Amino acid sequence: MDRFFSTDTKFYAAWSLLADLVIINLLMVIASFPVVTAGAATRAGAVVVREMVREEGSRPARTFLRALLRNWLSPSLWWLVTLVLGSGIAYEFYVISRATWARPAWYSQPA
């Protein structure tokens, strides 16, 4: 049973990876609470996962914070542009769905 929970087994490696991913997810959620920083948080999470895949680092929280603070302006600006465009598209769909003038005069609601 001691070999099963040893740090050299695949079982331990899988649970360690899962724990690291949960930590990254929690950090991304916390960093995304101000909607403005959601783009930077997503990029920082991608940087950490990329380093995990390349097996370059083993400290996800420190790497996440370093990536978030090092490069936050560009992803945040792109996120704001995406947010504005998405809001505009959602508003257009709302206006179109509420338009009653778009129905022809002969159209009537079924009783």
Side-chain angles (χ1 to χ4, degrees), residues 30-94:
I30 291 169
S32 297
F33 273 135
V35 175
V36 176
T37 60
T42 303
R43 186 192 184 288
V47 167
V48 174
V49 171
R50 182 187 67 209
E51 287 188 7
M52 287 173 59
V53 168
R54 293 180 181 173
E55 296 179 358
E56 293 177 353
S58 63
R59 296 183 169 177
R62 181 177 290 177
T63 308
F64 180 87
L65 293 175
R66 191 176 335 132
L68 182 68
L69 295 175
R70 184 182 304 154
N71 191 8
W72 63 271
L73 184 62
S74 177
S76 295
L77 291 176
W78 279 109
W79 169 248
L80 288 175
V81 168
T82 304
L83 189 65
V84 167
L85 290 175
S87 298
I89 291 170
Y91 178 73
E92 287 291 327
F93 277 118
Y94 174 75

Side-chain angles (χ1 to χ4, degrees), residues 7-20:
T7 58
D8 298 331
T9 61
K10 290 183 180 182
F11 178 78
Y12 182 83
W15 280 103
S16 178
L17 176 66
L18 181 67
D20 287 346

Side-chain angles (χ1 to χ4, degrees), residues 21-35:
L21 292 175
V22 168
I23 290 169
I24 294 168
N25 188 20
L26 289 174
L27 288 171
M28 285 178 59
V29 168
I30 291 169
S32 297
F33 273 135
V35 175

